[in-house]
Amino acid sequence: MKKVYKKWMMGASLAGAGLVLLDALLLEKYFFETRHYDIGNKKAKDKVRLILITDLHFRHTLWPQYEKLAEEINSHEPDLIMITGDTLDSDGDTSPAAKFLSLLKEETPKVAIPGNHDHKADKDLRELKKTYESHHCDFLINESKTYQLKGNRIMITGVDDFIEGEGRFAEAVEEVGREEHHLLLVHSPLQHEVVKKKVQFINKLREEKDRLNISYAFAGHNHGGQVRFLNFVPVLPVKSGDYVNGWYNKEKPFLYVSKGFGTSTLPFRFMARSEMTVLDYYL
């Protein structure tokens, strides 16, 4: 009986280990989840659909899960696609990124910012910018741009990564006043704390009608921990702060941190499934 019990326990252990490996190496990387949130004035009738993707971490190959991601994005018919950095991995090139962007509907507006790995990649940001722009995607580095979406004016401010880059928020909003719908894109969620302080400083120097009014901030960088055990996250990337994933802040700007899509350093995820985020913004 003891031998049978030991064999049963060994078999169960091996099966459990196999399931963990299957989840980490295949399921959480290749079978992503789509998260859907309603934001803005939920009593309003008008809405625009935003899709947030981040941390694609392209290296040298466009793997099938990215093709599936592009298909999923197109199926939701977004009014704007937002990409919050680390499109390239630190040893990546722009070829798979270009192929991925070509799969997205050309007429859909797109906006992106750099992340720390984009700065460290084999190709410099000028080539990444060229890749984005050739696929109808604005690449904002300390810049703001207005988008007209279904007749609604939405201001997007994109700030350079503050780990490997040089974030200059004041420069990005120098000509931006009070906007009814103003969104902020940063790569690391910790960077939004720096931006909030700068907003307070800038607004003290402005008349009320010209004060910045950022409603939402969107970030990535942390991969939801990439490897976690329930709510325990052993390691987060540098300059992550206390953010992991999900919604933060009880007042504006409300912050959403995506778990992102790709992987970095370790080629797998565990209990931190890849995601894309659909945001129905009621205006």
Side-chain angles (χ1 to χ4, degrees):
M1 182 65 73
K2 287 184 178 180
K3 288 184 179 180
V4 172
Y5 179 74
K6 286 181 179 179
K7 287 182 179 180
W8 184 88
M9 287 297 294
M10 183 176 292
S13 298
L14 289 172
L19 288 173
V20 168
L21 286 173
L22 176 67
D23 179 74
L25 296 174
L26 180 64
L27 297 181
E28 297 207 27
K29 271 177 60 176
Y30 292 88
F31 296 93
F32 58 92
E33 62 181 341
T34 299
R35 291 178 169 252
H36 197 146
Y37 300 99
D38 292 338
I39 63 174
N41 178 10
K42 297 174 187 177
K43 295 181 180 179
K45 294 181 180 180
D46 291 342
K47 71 174 181 180
V48 295
R49 174 160 289 178
L50 314 174
I51 283 187
L52 171 66
I53 54 175
T54 187
D55 297 274
L56 296 165
H57 285 282
F58 288 116
R59 294 178 177 87
H60 308 289
T61 305
L62 185 71
W63 294 104
Q65 68 266 32
Y66 291 98
E67 296 177 358
K68 185 179 177 183
L69 173 64
E71 183 180 347
E72 177 76 1
I73 290 171
N74 289 334
S75 73
H76 287 277
E77 300 183 342
D79 298 299
L80 178 69
I81 298 170
M82 305 181 297
I83 307 171
T84 54
D86 277 5
T87 294
L88 304 184
D89 200 45
S90 55
D91 64 347
D93 62 52
T94 56
S95 177
K99 291 177 182 177
F100 172 76
L101 291 167
S102 71
L103 297 176
L104 302 176
K105 290 181 180 177
E106 184 177 317
E107 64 271 19
T108 303
K110 308 166 192 71
V111 59
I113 61 168
N116 55 305
H117 284 272
D118 293 319
H119 278 278
K120 295 191 292 184
D122 292 343
K123 303 298 182 181
D124 64 27
L125 289 187
R126 286 174 296 182
E127 181 155 343
L128 181 57
K129 181 180 177 69
K130 184 178 177 182
T131 298
Y132 274 130
E133 291 180 344
S134 66
H135 291 88
H136 308 281
C137 180
D138 299 308
F139 194 38
L140 302 184
I141 306 177
N142 301 316
E143 298 174 73
S144 295
K145 180 168 180 174
T146 303
Y147 292 85
Q148 292 290 338
L149 306 178
K150 291 183 176 177
N152 297 283
R153 175 185 171 97
I154 295 181
M155 179 67 69
I156 306 282
T157 295
V159 186
D160 193 9
D161 169 68
F162 78 153
I163 301 169
E164 297 290 338
E166 187 179 349
R168 297 190 299 274
F169 175 76
E171 177 182 310
V173 297
E174 188 173 0
E175 297 182 8
V176 178
R178 181 178 179 81
E179 295 282 344
E180 189 66 26
H181 307 293
H182 191 171
L183 310 179
L184 170 71
L185 306 183
V186 292
H187 179 59
S188 168
L190 185 62
Q191 189 174 8
H192 104 286
E193 295 185 9
V194 176
V195 170
K196 283 201 302 181
K197 291 178 181 178
K198 291 187 176 180
V199 168
Q200 291 174 356
F201 177 77
I202 290 169
N203 282 347
K204 286 180 180 178
L205 304 177
R206 293 186 177 189
E207 295 182 14
E208 186 173 354
K209 64 182 180 65
D210 295 321
R211 288 174 185 165
L212 298 169
N213 176 44
I214 299 175
S215 303
Y216 291 92
F218 300 105
H221 184 55
N222 294 359
H223 300 194
Q226 191 166 312
V227 175
R228 57 196 288 180
F229 304 92
L230 298 178
N231 290 325
F232 174 64
V233 181
V235 179
L236 282 171
V238 62
K239 290 192 176 182
S240 294
D242 295 325
Y243 305 96
V244 180
N245 67 275
W247 287 101
Y248 296 87
N249 297 346
K250 294 182 179 180
E251 57 185 29
K252 295 194 301 185
F254 304 107
L255 170 68
Y256 184 78
V257 183
S258 169
K259 289 184 293 186
F261 196 81
T263 59
S264 180
T265 307
L266 298 173
F268 58 85
R269 288 173 173 260
F270 185 66
M271 299 188 78
R273 191 177 296 274
S274 297
E275 76 167 74
M276 62 165 274
T277 312
V278 179
L279 301 147
D280 280 338
Y281 188 11
Y282 287 83
L283 312 110

PDB file of all heavy atoms in Angstrom, residues 236-263:
ATOM      1  N   LEU A 236       9.925  42.875  -9.346  1.00  0.00           N
ATOM      2  CA  LEU A 236       9.373  43.813 -10.313  1.00  0.00           C
ATOM      3  C   LEU A 236      10.534  44.526 -11.011  1.00  0.00           C
ATOM      4  O   LEU A 236      11.626  44.630 -10.450  1.00  0.00           O
ATOM      5  CB  LEU A 236       8.477  44.842  -9.624  1.00  0.00           C
ATOM      6  CG  LEU A 236       7.066  44.390  -9.239  1.00  0.00           C
ATOM      7  CD1 LEU A 236       6.391  45.438  -8.376  1.00  0.00           C
ATOM      8  CD2 LEU A 236       6.223  44.097 -10.477  1.00  0.00           C
ATOM      9  N   PRO A 237      10.308  45.036 -12.226  1.00  0.00           N
ATOM     10  CA  PRO A 237      11.380  45.757 -12.921  1.00  0.00           C
ATOM     11  C   PRO A 237      11.813  47.003 -12.148  1.00  0.00           C
ATOM     12  O   PRO A 237      11.103  47.490 -11.262  1.00  0.00           O
ATOM     13  CB  PRO A 237      10.737  46.142 -14.255  1.00  0.00           C
ATOM     14  CG  PRO A 237       9.572  45.238 -14.420  1.00  0.00           C
ATOM     15  CD  PRO A 237       9.087  44.938 -13.034  1.00  0.00           C
ATOM     16  N   VAL A 238      12.953  47.521 -12.520  1.00  0.00           N
ATOM     17  CA  VAL A 238      13.476  48.726 -11.888  1.00  0.00           C
ATOM     18  C   VAL A 238      12.485  49.876 -12.054  1.00  0.00           C
ATOM     19  O   VAL A 238      11.802  49.986 -13.070  1.00  0.00           O
ATOM     20  CB  VAL A 238      14.856  49.094 -12.500  1.00  0.00           C
ATOM     21  CG1 VAL A 238      14.728  49.404 -13.988  1.00  0.00           C
ATOM     22  CG2 VAL A 238      15.489  50.263 -11.758  1.00  0.00           C
ATOM     23  N   LYS A 239      12.390  50.720 -11.048  1.00  0.00           N
ATOM     24  CA  LYS A 239      11.518  51.893 -11.039  1.00  0.00           C
ATOM     25  C   LYS A 239      10.059  51.543 -11.317  1.00  0.00           C
ATOM     26  O   LYS A 239       9.379  52.204 -12.106  1.00  0.00           O
ATOM     27  CB  LYS A 239      12.022  52.951 -12.035  1.00  0.00           C
ATOM     28  CG  LYS A 239      13.319  53.618 -11.583  1.00  0.00           C
ATOM     29  CD  LYS A 239      13.644  54.838 -12.402  1.00  0.00           C
ATOM     30  CE  LYS A 239      14.882  55.541 -11.864  1.00  0.00           C
ATOM     31  NZ  LYS A 239      15.202  56.769 -12.610  1.00  0.00           N
ATOM     32  N   SER A 240       9.594  50.494 -10.648  1.00  0.00           N
ATOM     33  CA  SER A 240       8.202  50.081 -10.783  1.00  0.00           C
ATOM     34  C   SER A 240       7.325  50.673  -9.698  1.00  0.00           C
ATOM     35  O   SER A 240       6.106  50.716  -9.839  1.00  0.00           O
ATOM     36  CB  SER A 240       8.102  48.553 -10.713  1.00  0.00           C
ATOM     37  OG  SER A 240       8.741  47.968 -11.811  1.00  0.00           O
ATOM     38  N   GLY A 241       7.936  51.065  -8.589  1.00  0.00           N
ATOM     39  CA  GLY A 241       7.149  51.513  -7.452  1.00  0.00           C
ATOM     40  C   GLY A 241       6.401  50.348  -6.838  1.00  0.00           C
ATOM     41  O   GLY A 241       6.828  49.190  -6.911  1.00  0.00           O
ATOM     42  N   ASP A 242       5.257  50.619  -6.255  1.00  0.00           N
ATOM     43  CA  ASP A 242       4.424  49.574  -5.642  1.00  0.00           C
ATOM     44  C   ASP A 242       3.306  49.114  -6.567  1.00  0.00           C
ATOM     45  O   ASP A 242       2.337  48.507  -6.124  1.00  0.00           O
ATOM     46  CB  ASP A 242       3.818  50.100  -4.325  1.00  0.00           C
ATOM     47  CG  ASP A 242       4.886  50.389  -3.283  1.00  0.00           C
ATOM     48  OD1 ASP A 242       5.886  49.649  -3.239  1.00  0.00           O
ATOM     49  OD2 ASP A 242       4.719  51.356  -2.522  1.00  0.00           O
ATOM     50  N   TYR A 243       3.431  49.408  -7.838  1.00  0.00           N
ATOM     51  CA  TYR A 243       2.378  49.078  -8.802  1.00  0.00           C
ATOM     52  C   TYR A 243       2.627  47.711  -9.426  1.00  0.00           C
ATOM     53  O   TYR A 243       3.762  47.361  -9.739  1.00  0.00           O
ATOM     54  CB  TYR A 243       2.328  50.145  -9.905  1.00  0.00           C
ATOM     55  CG  TYR A 243       2.152  51.543  -9.365  1.00  0.00           C
ATOM     56  CD1 TYR A 243       3.245  52.376  -9.162  1.00  0.00           C
ATOM     57  CD2 TYR A 243       0.887  52.020  -9.038  1.00  0.00           C
ATOM     58  CE1 TYR A 243       3.088  53.654  -8.656  1.00  0.00           C
ATOM     59  CE2 TYR A 243       0.717  53.308  -8.534  1.00  0.00           C
ATOM     60  CZ  TYR A 243       1.821  54.121  -8.344  1.00  0.00           C
ATOM     61  OH  TYR A 243       1.668  55.387  -7.838  1.00  0.00           O
ATOM     62  N   VAL A 244       1.563  46.952  -9.604  1.00  0.00           N
ATOM     63  CA  VAL A 244       1.678  45.638 -10.246  1.00  0.00           C
ATOM     64  C   VAL A 244       0.816  45.623 -11.507  1.00  0.00           C
ATOM     65  O   VAL A 244       1.317  45.587 -12.614  1.00  0.00           O
ATOM     66  CB  VAL A 244       1.282  44.498  -9.290  1.00  0.00           C
ATOM     67  CG1 VAL A 244       1.422  43.150  -9.997  1.00  0.00           C
ATOM     68  CG2 VAL A 244       2.153  44.526  -8.036  1.00  0.00           C
ATOM     69  N   ASN A 245      -0.496  45.653 -11.328  1.00  0.00           N
ATOM     70  CA  ASN A 245      -1.403  45.782 -12.477  1.00  0.00           C
ATOM     71  C   ASN A 245      -2.787  46.178 -11.977  1.00  0.00           C
ATOM     72  O   ASN A 245      -3.102  46.036 -10.796  1.00  0.00           O
ATOM     73  CB  ASN A 245      -1.483  44.480 -13.276  1.00  0.00           C
ATOM     74  CG  ASN A 245      -2.153  43.353 -12.502  1.00  0.00           C
ATOM     75  OD1 ASN A 245      -1.498  42.652 -11.732  1.00  0.00           O
ATOM     76  ND2 ASN A 245      -3.441  43.158 -12.698  1.00  0.00           N
ATOM     77  N   GLY A 246      -3.599  46.701 -12.888  1.00  0.00           N
ATOM     78  CA  GLY A 246      -4.959  47.093 -12.533  1.00  0.00           C
ATOM     79  C   GLY A 246      -5.097  48.589 -12.324  1.00  0.00           C
ATOM     80  O   GLY A 246      -4.254  49.381 -12.756  1.00  0.00           O
ATOM     81  N   TRP A 247      -6.169  48.966 -11.627  1.00  0.00           N
ATOM     82  CA  TRP A 247      -6.509  50.376 -11.420  1.00  0.00           C
ATOM     83  C   TRP A 247      -5.930  50.914 -10.119  1.00  0.00           C
ATOM     84  O   TRP A 247      -5.917  50.221  -9.114  1.00  0.00           O
ATOM     85  CB  TRP A 247      -8.025  50.554 -11.400  1.00  0.00           C
ATOM     86  CG  TRP A 247      -8.662  50.415 -12.746  1.00  0.00           C
ATOM     87  CD1 TRP A 247      -9.320  49.328 -13.239  1.00  0.00           C
ATOM     88  CD2 TRP A 247      -8.692  51.403 -13.779  1.00  0.00           C
ATOM     89  NE1 TRP A 247      -9.760  49.573 -14.515  1.00  0.00           N
ATOM     90  CE2 TRP A 247      -9.401  50.841 -14.875  1.00  0.00           C
ATOM     91  CE3 TRP A 247      -8.199  52.710 -13.889  1.00  0.00           C
ATOM     92  CZ2 TRP A 247      -9.610  51.538 -16.057  1.00  0.00           C
ATOM     93  CZ3 TRP A 247      -8.425  53.406 -15.076  1.00  0.00           C
ATOM     94  CH2 TRP A 247      -9.113  52.824 -16.139  1.00  0.00           C
ATOM     95  N   TYR A 248      -5.496  52.179 -10.171  1.00  0.00           N
ATOM     96  CA  TYR A 248      -4.957  52.870  -9.001  1.00  0.00           C
ATOM     97  C   TYR A 248      -5.479  54.309  -8.977  1.00  0.00           C
ATOM     98  O   TYR A 248      -5.914  54.832  -9.999  1.00  0.00           O
ATOM     99  CB  TYR A 248      -3.423  52.895  -9.046  1.00  0.00           C
ATOM    100  CG  TYR A 248      -2.782  51.525  -8.979  1.00  0.00           C
ATOM    101  CD1 TYR A 248      -2.564  50.780 -10.142  1.00  0.00           C
ATOM    102  CD2 TYR A 248      -2.407  50.964  -7.760  1.00  0.00           C
ATOM    103  CE1 TYR A 248      -1.978  49.528 -10.085  1.00  0.00           C
ATOM    104  CE2 TYR A 248      -1.818  49.708  -7.695  1.00  0.00           C
ATOM    105  CZ  TYR A 248      -1.614  48.997  -8.861  1.00  0.00           C
ATOM    106  OH  TYR A 248      -1.039  47.746  -8.805  1.00  0.00           O
ATOM    107  N   ASN A 249      -5.403  54.912  -7.820  1.00  0.00           N
ATOM    108  CA  ASN A 249      -5.781  56.310  -7.552  1.00  0.00           C
ATOM    109  C   ASN A 249      -7.290  56.459  -7.338  1.00  0.00           C
ATOM    110  O   ASN A 249      -8.092  55.932  -8.105  1.00  0.00           O
ATOM    111  CB  ASN A 249      -5.336  57.275  -8.664  1.00  0.00           C
ATOM    112  CG  ASN A 249      -3.828  57.321  -8.815  1.00  0.00           C
ATOM    113  OD1 ASN A 249      -3.092  56.855  -7.953  1.00  0.00           O
ATOM    114  ND2 ASN A 249      -3.373  57.875  -9.921  1.00  0.00           N
ATOM    115  N   LYS A 250      -7.632  57.209  -6.302  1.00  0.00           N
ATOM    116  CA  LYS A 250      -9.028  57.457  -5.964  1.00  0.00           C
ATOM    117  C   LYS A 250      -9.550  58.751  -6.561  1.00  0.00           C
ATOM    118  O   LYS A 250     -10.724  59.067  -6.439  1.00  0.00           O
ATOM    119  CB  LYS A 250      -9.192  57.476  -4.440  1.00  0.00           C
ATOM    120  CG  LYS A 250      -8.933  56.114  -3.790  1.00  0.00           C
ATOM    121  CD  LYS A 250      -9.149  56.159  -2.288  1.00  0.00           C
ATOM    122  CE  LYS A 250      -8.916  54.794  -1.663  1.00  0.00           C
ATOM    123  NZ  LYS A 250      -9.113  54.822  -0.183  1.00  0.00           N
ATOM    124  N   GLU A 251      -8.661  59.516  -7.164  1.00  0.00           N
ATOM    125  CA  GLU A 251      -9.061  60.750  -7.836  1.00  0.00           C
ATOM    126  C   GLU A 251      -8.216  60.920  -9.086  1.00  0.00           C
ATOM    127  O   GLU A 251      -7.206  60.241  -9.274  1.00  0.00           O
ATOM    128  CB  GLU A 251      -8.918  61.958  -6.904  1.00  0.00           C
ATOM    129  CG  GLU A 251      -7.522  62.138  -6.360  1.00  0.00           C
ATOM    130  CD  GLU A 251      -7.428  63.263  -5.357  1.00  0.00           C
ATOM    131  OE1 GLU A 251      -8.438  63.539  -4.674  1.00  0.00           O
ATOM    132  OE2 GLU A 251      -6.340  63.874  -5.261  1.00  0.00           O
ATOM    133  N   LYS A 252      -8.613  61.852  -9.936  1.00  0.00           N
ATOM    134  CA  LYS A 252      -7.894  62.051 -11.201  1.00  0.00           C
ATOM    135  C   LYS A 252      -6.452  62.506 -10.949  1.00  0.00           C
ATOM    136  O   LYS A 252      -6.211  63.273 -10.017  1.00  0.00           O
ATOM    137  CB  LYS A 252      -8.615  63.103 -12.044  1.00  0.00           C
ATOM    138  CG  LYS A 252     -10.004  62.676 -12.499  1.00  0.00           C
ATOM    139  CD  LYS A 252     -10.569  63.566 -13.585  1.00  0.00           C
ATOM    140  CE  LYS A 252     -10.679  65.009 -13.198  1.00  0.00           C
ATOM    141  NZ  LYS A 252     -11.341  65.832 -14.235  1.00  0.00           N
ATOM    142  N   PRO A 253      -5.537  62.032 -11.807  1.00  0.00           N
ATOM    143  CA  PRO A 253      -5.745  61.096 -12.920  1.00  0.00           C
ATOM    144  C   PRO A 253      -5.808  59.646 -12.424  1.00  0.00           C
ATOM    145  O   PRO A 253      -4.934  59.191 -11.682  1.00  0.00           O
ATOM    146  CB  PRO A 253      -4.498  61.318 -13.786  1.00  0.00           C
ATOM    147  CG  PRO A 253      -3.438  61.727 -12.820  1.00  0.00           C
ATOM    148  CD  PRO A 253      -4.139  62.527 -11.755  1.00  0.00           C
ATOM    149  N   PHE A 254      -6.841  58.941 -12.851  1.00  0.00           N
ATOM    150  CA  PHE A 254      -6.944  57.525 -12.533  1.00  0.00           C
ATOM    151  C   PHE A 254      -5.916  56.771 -13.376  1.00  0.00           C
ATOM    152  O   PHE A 254      -5.752  57.051 -14.564  1.00  0.00           O
ATOM    153  CB  PHE A 254      -8.354  57.022 -12.823  1.00  0.00           C
ATOM    154  CG  PHE A 254      -9.409  57.807 -12.093  1.00  0.00           C
ATOM    155  CD1 PHE A 254     -10.223  58.699 -12.778  1.00  0.00           C
ATOM    156  CD2 PHE A 254      -9.568  57.675 -10.722  1.00  0.00           C
ATOM    157  CE1 PHE A 254     -11.193  59.442 -12.110  1.00  0.00           C
ATOM    158  CE2 PHE A 254     -10.531  58.411 -10.039  1.00  0.00           C
ATOM    159  CZ  PHE A 254     -11.340  59.299 -10.736  1.00  0.00           C
ATOM    160  N   LEU A 255      -5.236  55.830 -12.753  1.00  0.00           N
ATOM    161  CA  LEU A 255      -4.128  55.127 -13.415  1.00  0.00           C
ATOM    162  C   LEU A 255      -4.500  53.681 -13.677  1.00  0.00           C
ATOM    163  O   LEU A 255      -4.971  52.980 -12.772  1.00  0.00           O
ATOM    164  CB  LEU A 255      -2.878  55.181 -12.533  1.00  0.00           C
ATOM    165  CG  LEU A 255      -1.695  54.292 -12.966  1.00  0.00           C
ATOM    166  CD1 LEU A 255      -1.083  54.804 -14.274  1.00  0.00           C
ATOM    167  CD2 LEU A 255      -0.637  54.240 -11.862  1.00  0.00           C
ATOM    168  N   TYR A 256      -4.277  53.238 -14.916  1.00  0.00           N
ATOM    169  CA  TYR A 256      -4.417  51.818 -15.228  1.00  0.00           C
ATOM    170  C   TYR A 256      -3.069  51.266 -15.675  1.00  0.00           C
ATOM    171  O   TYR A 256      -2.422  51.821 -16.571  1.00  0.00           O
ATOM    172  CB  TYR A 256      -5.451  51.564 -16.333  1.00  0.00           C
ATOM    173  CG  TYR A 256      -5.647  50.079 -16.551  1.00  0.00           C
ATOM    174  CD1 TYR A 256      -6.419  49.328 -15.664  1.00  0.00           C
ATOM    175  CD2 TYR A 256      -5.022  49.412 -17.598  1.00  0.00           C
ATOM    176  CE1 TYR A 256      -6.558  47.956 -15.821  1.00  0.00           C
ATOM    177  CE2 TYR A 256      -5.169  48.046 -17.765  1.00  0.00           C
ATOM    178  CZ  TYR A 256      -5.939  47.322 -16.878  1.00  0.00           C
ATOM    179  OH  TYR A 256      -6.074  45.965 -17.015  1.00  0.00           O
ATOM    180  N   VAL A 257      -2.661  50.172 -15.042  1.00  0.00           N
ATOM    181  CA  VAL A 257      -1.396  49.511 -15.363  1.00  0.00           C
ATOM    182  C   VAL A 257      -1.706  48.157 -15.999  1.00  0.00           C
ATOM    183  O   VAL A 257      -2.285  47.278 -15.364  1.00  0.00           O
ATOM    184  CB  VAL A 257      -0.528  49.306 -14.103  1.00  0.00           C
ATOM    185  CG1 VAL A 257       0.824  48.685 -14.479  1.00  0.00           C
ATOM    186  CG2 VAL A 257      -0.312  50.631 -13.377  1.00  0.00           C
ATOM    187  N   SER A 258      -1.332  48.015 -17.255  1.00  0.00           N
ATOM    188  CA  SER A 258      -1.583  46.772 -17.981  1.00  0.00           C
ATOM    189  C   SER A 258      -0.491  45.744 -17.689  1.00  0.00           C
ATOM    190  O   SER A 258       0.678  46.097 -17.485  1.00  0.00           O
ATOM    191  CB  SER A 258      -1.629  47.054 -19.488  1.00  0.00           C
ATOM    192  OG  SER A 258      -1.610  45.850 -20.224  1.00  0.00           O
ATOM    193  N   LYS A 259      -0.861  44.470 -17.715  1.00  0.00           N
ATOM    194  CA  LYS A 259       0.124  43.391 -17.570  1.00  0.00           C
ATOM    195  C   LYS A 259       0.964  43.213 -18.829  1.00  0.00           C
ATOM    196  O   LYS A 259       1.953  42.478 -18.815  1.00  0.00           O
ATOM    197  CB  LYS A 259      -0.576  42.073 -17.230  1.00  0.00           C
ATOM    198  CG  LYS A 259      -1.138  42.030 -15.813  1.00  0.00           C
ATOM    199  CD  LYS A 259      -1.739  40.677 -15.484  1.00  0.00           C
ATOM    200  CE  LYS A 259      -2.971  40.404 -16.289  1.00  0.00           C
ATOM    201  NZ  LYS A 259      -3.654  39.147 -15.885  1.00  0.00           N
ATOM    202  N   GLY A 260       0.552  43.866 -19.899  1.00  0.00           N
ATOM    203  CA  GLY A 260       1.341  43.794 -21.118  1.00  0.00           C
ATOM    204  C   GLY A 260       1.183  42.468 -21.838  1.00  0.00           C
ATOM    205  O   GLY A 260       0.395  41.602 -21.449  1.00  0.00           O
ATOM    206  N   PHE A 261       1.981  42.296 -22.895  1.00  0.00           N
ATOM    207  CA  PHE A 261       1.791  41.143 -23.758  1.00  0.00           C
ATOM    208  C   PHE A 261       3.007  40.226 -23.858  1.00  0.00           C
ATOM    209  O   PHE A 261       2.887  39.007 -23.821  1.00  0.00           O
ATOM    210  CB  PHE A 261       1.391  41.619 -25.166  1.00  0.00           C
ATOM    211  CG  PHE A 261       0.812  40.529 -26.012  1.00  0.00           C
ATOM    212  CD1 PHE A 261      -0.524  40.173 -25.872  1.00  0.00           C
ATOM    213  CD2 PHE A 261       1.592  39.844 -26.925  1.00  0.00           C
ATOM    214  CE1 PHE A 261      -1.070  39.139 -26.639  1.00  0.00           C
ATOM    215  CE2 PHE A 261       1.058  38.825 -27.698  1.00  0.00           C
ATOM    216  CZ  PHE A 261      -0.275  38.471 -27.553  1.00  0.00           C
ATOM    217  N   GLY A 262       4.168  40.791 -24.006  1.00  0.00           N
ATOM    218  CA  GLY A 262       5.367  39.976 -24.200  1.00  0.00           C
ATOM    219  C   GLY A 262       6.041  39.608 -22.892  1.00  0.00           C
ATOM    220  O   GLY A 262       5.478  39.765 -21.803  1.00  0.00           O
ATOM    221  N   THR A 263       7.259  39.102 -23.023  1.00  0.00           N
ATOM    222  CA  THR A 263       8.055  38.741 -21.850  1.00  0.00           C
ATOM    223  C   THR A 263       9.444  39.353 -21.991  1.00  0.00           C
ATOM    224  O   THR A 263       9.915  39.620 -23.098  1.00  0.00           O
ATOM    225  CB  THR A 263       8.189  37.214 -21.693  1.00  0.00           C
ATOM    226  OG1 THR A 263       8.807  36.667 -22.873  1.00  0.00           O
ATOM    227  CG2 THR A 263       6.832  36.565 -21.475  1.00  0.00           C
TER     228      THR A 263
END
